[in-house]
Structures are given as structure tokens and as C-alpha cells.
Amino acid sequence: MGKEFIKLFTPLKREKVIKLKAGEKVLITGVIYTARDAAHKKLVRLIKEKKPLPFLLDDQIIYYTAPTPPGRGKVIGACGPTTSSRMDKYTPLLLSRGLRGVMGKGQRSVEVKEAIKKNEAIYFITIGGAGAYLSRRVKKAEIIAFPEIEPEAIYKLWVEDFPAIVGIDARGEDLYQNLWRNK
Amino acid sequence: MKKGLLEKIKNTVSTLCKEANYGIREDIFEALCQAEKEEKEELPKFILSTLIENINISREEKIPVCQDTGMAEVFVEVGKGVKIEGILLKKNILEGVKEGYEEGNLRKSVVKDPLFSRKNTGDNTPPLIHLSFSPLLEKEIKIIVFPRGFGAENMGKVAMLNPQEGREGVKRFVLGAIREAGANPCPPIIVGIGIGGTMQTSMFLAKKALLRPIKIRNPHPKYALLEKELLKEINDLRIGAQGMGGMNTCLGVNIEHFPTHIAGLPLAVNISCYALREAQKVIRVSS
């Protein structure tokens, strides 16, 4: 495992994604979108009702978080990842509609893994419990949908060198499984 | 109760909500630094050093250590000769939580109806208040604010074991719960275990166990030994910091126990993420 970080830019191109391997460290720069439990429910309902989504999913990353309110002079508050598995039910549909990456913490279901493989997508794990640290990598934040469910609203985040680790790569290789199996 | 005292309780709760969320408890911080020093593998070492940096940023810049600033559990211990009016006490604690979460830029994470509407209450109330009476306190009230993030809270488990399952049964269940939780509760974790009482008492004990500093062992030698064995066996699972493998899955195991029924062995596991947040203060009550 190399010590170096791989630089990534959003939107995430397929060609770039399929080269990434589980366990590699990356730094993400560009726009990403937040969504967690309640926002996922709403997004999936919009898709099922064939209504437009608040942002285009194509090649984008959804980040599972709901930040704390920003302190004075800050762009955002703490914004670390929440447990991804609560979104397992919704992820395959979003990936089939063009979403390229998802980011959170913890293990994913077999269904999500299959959907990642099928759609040549990717699951990033970022550092759970590092909300204050990660807030420094966010340069701008704006609520673009569902303000009524704050703090679970969808934020558009402009991030710079946001650190993450490839958790499940486009071939379906699962970092946790590899790490825990080898022991 | 005098107005001044109620005001003081409200302000103290408010301050403790903020204090608890900017950083983590000192004994856990020390254990985390030690873990980082000893870790040999690259990925978990990177995680651990990032978590330490995260705490330093949180403390210095007053940014919550985690975006999940939790549902506030408030433990109130009333000392000797203190007269309280329960309803006013509860009201002022609730007001304190409301104020602390607003002023401290903490996230409002509580929904009113757990099953149907799931609408956010908007002010992080209600808190969960646990009132007890302590002969160890003089004319004092001790307040502990323990914000519970749900990444870890969700991973807790209760079992009503058959007493015949004994010590081995306890270990099997605890290890099973932790294996299943995996990377979800943000390891390195701290494990609180409650044994005895009735079903809900065991979980209360598990939570109380987390309030004890991790360097202090259960005073009963057999329980103390069980704490040590479990710590080692949990670390042998090698889930590691944020699930990245390595030697640091768990920083501490605390067990609390209580008498129980002849037919039962209630057992509860309550997990804390690495970011165990707790702040406390003793208020002197003037006559």
C-alpha cells in the first residue's frame, strides 16, 4: 500500500474511477453533495415519481453527512461522515441513475457492492469522527434542497483535498473485508 | 428551590453541553495518543494521527469534535440535605440544553416522533434526565452532560442470558456485538458493559460504566480481570481504527454490576466511539 494520495477531481470520470483500488488514499477536489437518511428518502421518492432531482447525479459524489452550524467566520461546522449502511437501501437506485461515487463510513451491504460493480462506481470511506478536521477542507457550502429537513438538507460543498480511502472499488473489492479476512 | 439555584443549573447545563462537544474526555485523549504511538500499520496510524489533530482543532477553534453532537443525556446527582422541586429542575435542565446547543453551534439531532413524522424538534430537546441521590455529595448537586452520538449508540445490544452461560456467555455476547458493529461505531471504541438488575437496568449500568475513567478498574477483582481479558480479546479482533486493521480496536472496557434475580443474567453492551464526550460540574447549594 503506497503512502501517497491520489488526486481526484469531480465530476468523477469513469476512466479514472476504474483505476482506483480498495485501500488507496485519495484527495478529492471539486463539488460534492451531501445527503443522509431523510434526504435519501426524498431523492428516491422524486425518482419514483419521475420528478426532477435538485442536482444532476451524473458522475457526482454523494457524501453522507449533516454538518453542525458554522461558527462565526466559518464556512461550515463539523462535517465528518455518518454510518453508510443506513443508506444501503437507496444506493443501488441512485448508482443506476448515474451517480458515480458515495462517501461515508463503515461497511456496506452485498447489494450495494454489486451495484458498485455493475455501474463501475466507487465507495469512499472518509475519517469517521474527524468532523472538525474535515471542515477545513470545505471552502464553500450552500443548501440547495430540502431546507425544511435541516440539518439533513442537501448541501452543495466545494471541497479541496478532501481525504478519503477507497472502501469498495469498481471491481467490487472491499477494503474492510480484505483487511479483516487476512487476520 | 431558589430562583438563583435554578438559574445556575440552567447555565451549568448549557456550558457543559458546549464544553463536552469541543474535544473529548481527557483520559480517552491520553489513551488515543498512546495508541497512535504504538500503532505500527500505516493506514490505522494515519487515521489515529488525524483523529488527534481533529481533537486539537476542535479544542482550539471551538468546532464540535464530531458533527453528531448527540442527544443529551444529563445525569443529576443530588447530595445530602438538598431540597429539589423535580418539575422546575427538569424544566431548567431542558432550557439549558436548548441554550447550549444553540449558542454552541451544536447540531439539532432530535426528532419528535421516532416512527412516523420524524420531524426535528429544532432545539435538540428533550434531553434524557437521570436523577439520583448520592450520599457521597455534601450539600451539592452534581451534573454530568453526556451527549450520545448515534453512530455508536446504534451498535448497543442487550441480552437476557441464562445464568448457566456465565462468564463465557458474557464474553461471547460482547465480542459478537463488537464484531458485528465493525467499523460503524468509529473505533477505537470504549465499551461499557452492564451486568445484573433487570433488562433496562443492565443498559443503564452499561452507560454508567462509560462514565468511569478507563484507567480505573472495577473494584471487584473478578470483574476487573474480565475487563482486562475483554480488552485484549476485542483488540485481537483487529478491526482497528475506523476499521482499518491494526492493534487498536478498543481503548477501554468498563463493567458495572448489580444484584439480579435468581433466574436471570441480564447483560448490556453500550459502545462509545473514540470521541467519548462528557463534561461535569458540582454546584454548591447555599443555605
Side-chain angles (χ1 to χ4, degrees), chain B residues 194-208 258-259 266 268:
Chain B
I195 307 176
T198 52
M199 197 178 208
Q200 92 280 4
T201 320
S202 67
M203 186 47 87
F204 187 69
L205 291 169
K207 198 148 275 183
K208 287 279 277 195
F258 196 81

Side-chain angles (χ1 to χ4, degrees), chain A residues 66 74 80 105 129 133 136, chain B residues 42 54 61 67 107 184 274:
Chain A
K74 304 266 192 236
K105 69 171 165 95
Y133 173 89
R136 289 185 166 181
Chain B
E42 190 242 331
N54 182 59
E61 297 189 25
Q67 72 289 343
R107 198 180 74 187
N184 289 344
Y274 93 90

Side-chain angles (χ1 to χ4, degrees), chain A residues 71-124:
Chain A
R72 191 173 302 168
K74 304 266 192 236
V75 169
I76 198 167
C79 56
T82 192
T83 305
S84 306
S85 60
R86 288 196 317 275
M87 269 54 78
D88 281 354
K89 198 177 124 189
Y90 307 111
T91 305
L93 178 64
L94 295 171
L95 293 176
S96 75
R97 298 299 166 104
L99 184 69
R100 184 68 65 189
V102 285
M103 179 158 68
K105 69 171 165 95
Q107 47 273 27
R108 306 302 308 256
S109 69
V110 176
E111 290 77 15
V112 170
K113 218 176 288 179
E114 285 306 312
I116 285 172
K117 223 163 123 178
K118 193 174 158 201
N119 297 290
E120 299 180 302
I122 193 150
Y123 170 48
F124 295 112

Side-chain angles (χ1 to χ4, degrees), chain B residues 21-39:
Chain B
N21 273 295
Y22 304 143
I24 70 172
R25 206 169 69 192
E26 192 55 31
D27 61 319
I28 312 293
F29 183 65
E30 283 167 19
L32 194 71
C33 292
Q34 189 63 29
E36 195 273 335
K37 237 179 252 166
E38 286 166 7
E39 183 60 62

Side-chain angles (χ1 to χ4, degrees), chain B residues 153-224:
Chain B
E153 183 74 5
N154 276 340
M155 298 294 120
K157 270 194 157 61
V158 186
M160 300 304 279
L161 297 184
N162 179 333
Q164 313 306 327
E165 293 179 75
R167 195 175 191 279
E168 285 314 303
V170 168
K171 282 172 95 169
R172 202 180 312 122
F173 183 77
V174 172
L175 288 166
I178 288 159
R179 197 180 292 118
E180 198 185 310
N184 289 344
C186 285
I189 53 176
I190 300 92
V191 181
I193 298 170
I195 307 176
T198 52
M199 197 178 208
Q200 92 280 4
T201 320
S202 67
M203 186 47 87
F204 187 69
L205 291 169
K207 198 148 275 183
K208 287 279 277 195
L210 290 174
L211 296 177
R212 185 191 342 137
I214 55 172
K215 275 188 187 150
I216 300 173
R217 299 276 53 79
N218 185 299
H220 190 297
K222 284 187 177 170
Y223 286 94

Side-chain angles (χ1 to χ4, degrees), chain B residues 12 37 41 50 59 64 73 75 105 108 111 119 129 133 149-151 169 175 183 193 223 227 242 256 269:
Chain B
T12 302
K37 237 179 252 166
E41 292 181 31
T50 307
R59 285 176 172 172
E73 297 223 42
F75 294 79
N105 292 315
K108 287 53 167 202
V111 293
K119 199 173 170 328
I129 303 169
F133 303 92
F150 262 51
L175 288 166
I193 298 170
Y223 286 94
E227 289 175 336
Q242 300 295 329
E256 292 295 327
V269 185

Side-chain angles (χ1 to χ4, degrees), chain A residues 1-5 23 25 36 41 63-72 74 76-86 105-107 125-137 148-152 163-165 175-176 179-180 183, chain B residues 41-43 46-47 50-51 53-55 57-58 60-69 101 104-109 111 116 118-120 150-152 154-155 179-187 236-240 242-246 274-275:
Chain A
M1 207 170 297
K3 283 183 192 300
E4 296 304 308
F5 286 90
K25 292 190 292 188
R36 54 173 290 160
K41 207 170 167 183
Y63 175 32
Y64 307 140
T65 190
T68 59
R72 191 173 302 168
K74 304 266 192 236
I76 198 167
C79 56
T82 192
T83 305
S84 306
S85 60
R86 288 196 317 275
K105 69 171 165 95
Q107 47 273 27
I125 295 162
T126 188
I127 306 150
Y133 173 89
L134 292 170
S135 74
R136 289 185 166 181
R137 308 295 174 102
E148 70 280 10
I149 53 166
E150 247 255 285
E152 296 191 69
I165 297 161
L175 170 65
Y176 290 134
L179 282 169
W180 300 345
K183 302 300 172 193
Chain B
E41 292 181 31
E42 190 242 331
L43 262 183
F46 159 69
I47 298 281
T50 307
L51 295 180
E53 198 181 336
N54 182 59
I55 295 160
I57 293 170
S58 170
E60 282 160 26
E61 297 189 25
K62 307 264 180 272
I63 301 172
V65 74
C66 175
Q67 72 289 343
D68 187 353
T69 51
Y101 272 72
N105 292 315
L106 308 179
R107 198 180 74 187
K108 287 53 167 202
S109 310
V111 293
F116 296 108
R118 292 192 66 84
K119 199 173 170 328
N120 201 303
F150 262 51
N154 276 340
M155 298 294 120
R179 197 180 292 118
E180 198 185 310
N184 289 344
C186 285
D236 284 346
L237 295 174
R238 296 187 72 84
I239 294 166
Q242 300 295 329
M244 296 297 159
Y274 93 90

